[in-house]
Amino acid sequence: MKSIDIRTTQNVTISYELAAVRDRILAYVVDTLIKLLYYTITVLLAIYMMDEMHEYEEDFMIIFGLLVIAPPIAFYSLFFENVMNGQTPGKRLLKIRVVKLNGKQPEFYDYVLRWSFRLVDLVLSGGVLASILVSSSDHSQRLGDMVSNTTVVRVRDRSPISLADILKIESLSSYEPKYVAIRNFPERDIMLIKNALGRYMSISNTAHMEVLQELAESMAARLKVEERPADVIVFLRTLIKDYVVLTR
């Protein structure tokens, strides 16, 4: 399975597993079925409304189609990727997501670029062009991905710290935080630690350990920890626990 290293805005390199062509096709099929369901329901609604009027109005069907049926279908992927952080319902079901290759958060303009090339990538070529490009390109990109500098990766939340673990941390009276300054850090930093630990626990390779080491060194420097933590995993897990206790 192909993977890609993306350096985040926090200067931490994270390895992602690129989404396989199969997963992207299945996500597309799921989204298509949802759109077909919406189309069927709205057409039946239009027919029912005309029956109630006891007449057939061609102009009514045209206006209804242009205002009610067509927009949600045409802008389906653009809308959902923008509001669901790079995912459509199909992508969420298949656990894949759109990301930027430069490590930044995709913006609306990026999703517009991806969406605008669907006509060439998927519709006119029947998905053949997209499949060929995703299979052959280094970063598994179709045309829409290339122009927007994005790709699609697998998202697996296999965190070594579960909700049950967090709930076991009772309060300051039963747990003494070691790194008190962590309370001033933004929540996105803690989520970055959590996700990096999760990826290492699911795939314990050298690349993921290097990410943890860089992350631990960065956090230690920001916390002004004098000695480099001997066990980076224990150190990072402690930071998460400290943050939870100090901020909840």
Side-chain angles (χ1 to χ4, degrees), residues 47-178:
I47 295 173
Y48 173 78
M49 292 173 67
M50 287 190 297
D51 287 341
E52 290 294 307
M53 294 186 293
H54 303 290
E55 58 181 316
Y56 177 79
E57 290 286 348
E58 184 176 350
D59 291 341
F60 169 78
M61 282 299 296
I62 294 175
I63 295 174
F64 190 86
L66 290 175
L67 296 181
V68 179
I69 300 177
I73 294 176
F75 297 102
Y76 174 93
S77 62
L78 176 60
F79 172 78
F80 279 112
E81 286 182 357
N82 187 54
V83 301
M84 292 174 60
N85 192 27
Q87 292 183 306
T88 61
K91 286 186 176 68
R92 175 162 292 185
L93 182 64
L94 271 296
K95 300 185 185 300
I96 60 178
R97 180 168 64 89
V98 177
V99 297
K100 290 279 286 184
L101 293 179
N102 60 12
K104 295 182 179 180
Q105 179 71 19
E107 298 182 359
F108 180 69
Y109 178 71
D110 300 313
Y111 296 130
V112 171
L113 284 177
R114 294 189 80 252
W115 171 82
S116 63
F117 276 82
R118 289 175 66 85
L119 182 64
V120 178
D121 281 335
L122 302 172
V123 179
L124 296 181
S125 66
V128 174
L129 179 59
S131 297
I132 293 174
L133 290 175
V134 170
S135 300
S136 59
S137 61
D138 292 337
H139 297 154
S140 297
Q141 295 171 293
R142 61 177 178 86
L143 282 177
D145 291 316
M146 293 177 184
V147 297
S148 60
N149 195 34
T150 61
T151 189
V152 180
V153 299
R154 296 180 67 85
V155 179
R156 299 229 181 249
D157 187 11
R158 297 176 180 173
S159 172
I161 299 180
S162 65
L163 177 61
D165 294 328
I166 293 175
L167 293 177
K168 289 178 182 177
I169 304 175
E170 297 178 1
S171 64
L172 283 171
S173 61
S174 59
Y175 177 82
E176 183 177 353
K178 185 175 181 181

Side-chain angles (χ1 to χ4, degrees), residues 182-193:
I182 194 67
R183 75 192 316 166
N184 300 318
F185 282 47
E187 184 178 349
R188 64 176 179 271
D189 289 350
I190 307 305
M191 293 304 299
L192 179 64
I193 295 173

